[in-house]
């Protein structure tokens, strides 16, 4: 107005959104995975949010064991690059990072590996040779077996065709004859060695 005449104009002031809040990671700081789980198993899933509207979060990893892991940058799902082995590595330590385009949030995470009872493995030969009339205290077969699980005590037993003709020490896996071998009446003994944890 100039005191007598006036002019009128409608005005709109638009407020532009400013990225003022960093994402917030709400998922736990720990997780677990059973050893030997399939590589597709999700060992940790990031849960995060951002109060800024229309924000798309992306995810990545850092830290001590990040190189051993994969992460889906869109979903935040973490998987292993190789099978978990409790006997070799009992946990994975890493940081999960959520990014909203300019601001980030970071959380330290530890995923523990749970121990699974794995079967023992027999590594001794499937063939042995003895002379007939060998002394009955002679070990005709020595079972060699191992178990990757710590503090495991193995027990041994026999089954199969000639089991009734044999003895086995359940603690050592040593097999002996109940009566002297005689080539002319029996030229071989067939049996199964079983080991159990």
């Amino acid at each position: 107005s100039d005191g007598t005449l006036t002019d009128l104009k409608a005005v709109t002031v638009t407020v532009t959104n400013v990225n003022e809040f960093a994402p917030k990671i709400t998922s736990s700081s720990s997780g677990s995975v059973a050893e030997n789980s399939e590589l597709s198993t999700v060992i940790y899933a990031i849960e995060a949010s951002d109060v800024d509207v229309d924000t798309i979060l992306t995810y990545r990893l850092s830290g001590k064991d990040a190189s051993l892991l994969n992460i889906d940058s869109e979903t935040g799902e973490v998987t292993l690059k190789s099978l978990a082995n409790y006997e070799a590595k009992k946990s994975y330590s890493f940081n999960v990072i959520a990014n909203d385009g300019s601001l980030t949030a970071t959380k330290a995470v530890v995923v523990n590996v749970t121990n699974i009872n794995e079967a023992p493995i027999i590594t001794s030969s499937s063939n042995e040779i003895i002379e007939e009339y060998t002394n009955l205290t002679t070990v005709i077969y020595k079972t060699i077996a191992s178990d990757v699980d710590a503090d495991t005590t193995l027990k041994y037993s026999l089954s199969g065709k000639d089991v009734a003709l044999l003895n086995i020490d359940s603690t050592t896996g040593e097999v002996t004859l109940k009566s002297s071998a005689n080539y002319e009446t029996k030229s071989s003994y067939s049996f199964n060695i079983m080991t159990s944890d």
Side-chain angles (χ1 to χ4, degrees):
S1 173
D2 62 5
T4 305
L5 302 174
T6 61
D7 190 16
L8 176 70
K9 176 173 275 192
V11 176
T12 300
V13 175
T14 301
V15 179
T16 58
N17 190 23
V18 174
N19 188 3
E20 58 194 314
F21 298 103
K24 184 176 181 180
I25 299 173
T26 55
S27 46
S28 172
S29 60
S30 63
S32 67
V33 60
E35 68 174 330
N36 300 321
S37 294
E38 293 182 8
L39 293 180
S40 59
T41 301
V42 175
I43 68 166
Y44 185 84
I46 302 172
E47 296 173 10
S49 60
D50 194 311
V51 296
D52 293 309
V53 295
D54 301 325
T55 299
I56 297 174
L57 299 179
T58 58
Y59 305 99
R60 61 187 174 89
L61 299 173
S62 69
K64 177 183 171 188
D65 295 322
S67 63
L68 306 176
L69 309 167
N70 297 310
I71 186 167
D72 186 312
S73 63
E74 295 180 2
T75 66
E77 293 181 338
V78 180
T79 56
L80 291 168
K81 289 183 178 178
S82 58
L83 295 179
N85 180 354
Y86 178 84
E87 287 71 32
K89 187 168 183 61
K90 293 179 173 54
S91 67
Y92 294 85
S93 299
F94 54 95
N95 301 313
V96 291
I97 302 168
N99 185 289
D100 65 6
S102 58
L103 302 175
T104 62
T106 303
K107 177 173 262 190
V109 175
V110 175
V111 172
N112 293 305
V113 179
T114 56
N115 193 19
I116 299 298
N117 187 9
E118 296 161 288
I121 297 172
I122 299 173
T123 55
S124 46
S125 170
S126 57
N127 294 289
E128 292 293 339
I129 298 172
I130 61 167
E131 292 183 355
E132 63 177 336
Y133 304 118
T134 297
N135 190 304
L136 292 183
T137 59
T138 300
V139 174
I140 67 166
Y141 186 85
K142 168 64 177 169
T143 309
I144 301 172
S146 61
D147 194 316
V148 296
D149 296 310
D151 302 322
T152 300
T153 301
L154 299 178
K155 295 291 183 183
Y156 303 95
S157 60
L158 295 173
S159 69
K161 177 182 172 186
D162 294 323
V163 66
L165 306 175
L166 306 166
N167 297 309
I168 187 167
D169 184 312
S170 64
T171 303
T172 66
E174 294 178 342
V175 179
T176 55
L177 292 169
K178 289 184 177 179
S179 58
S180 292
N182 181 343
Y183 178 83
E184 285 70 31
T185 59
K186 187 165 184 62
S187 60
S188 68
Y189 295 86
S190 299
F191 54 93
N192 302 313
I193 291 286
M194 295 180 292
T195 182
S196 171
D197 61 8

